Amino acid sequence: MTVVRGLREALVLFVVALVAVAAAAGVWTAVSGGDFVVRVGVALIVVGTLLGLTGDLTLSRIGMLPARSAFGLAPEREDAGGGRVLTGVGIFLFVSLPLMAVGVALLS
């Protein structure tokens, strides 16, 4: 059951990213002209890379370490919170890589 929930979460993240990228590329094309498909491909690669790097909130945890230690708080737990099933590796494998693959396919 956890696998199905994780795949469903990945699908939702993937579809939301596609819609957001298509909207951003539409605005980009409307403002400066050019080919819509190429801009969607470039934007998908950029968003996939950013999700791969920041998908598991590691960067925000690293940024909070000095503040937490200054107040004498324990480090944050490493598990996914808030009902999330996917970890950083899952987000990279099931959301970021497919986004980048679709972007590369649109560019070629």
Side-chain angles (χ1 to χ4, degrees), residues 5 8 13 15 18 24-26 29 33-34 40 45-46 63 67 70 77 85 91 96 101-102 105 108:
R5 285 181 50 211
R8 191 175 327 146
L13 287 171
V15 169
L18 281 177
T29 304
V40 169
I45 293 171
V46 169
R77 292 178 48 197
V85 177
I91 290 173
S96 295
V102 170
S108 58

Side-chain angles (χ1 to χ4, degrees), residues 53-102:
L53 292 175
T54 63
D56 65 346
L57 303 176
T58 300
L59 295 178
S60 64
R61 283 193 197 125
I62 291 171
M64 287 300 295
L65 283 178
R68 291 186 69 81
S69 64
F71 291 113
L73 299 172
E76 293 183 43
R77 292 178 48 197
E78 300 248 347
D79 60 345
R84 286 184 48 202
V85 177
L86 289 177
T87 61
V89 174
I91 290 173
F92 176 74
L93 288 176
F94 297 116
V95 181
S96 295
L97 282 180
L99 283 173
M100 289 187 277
V102 170

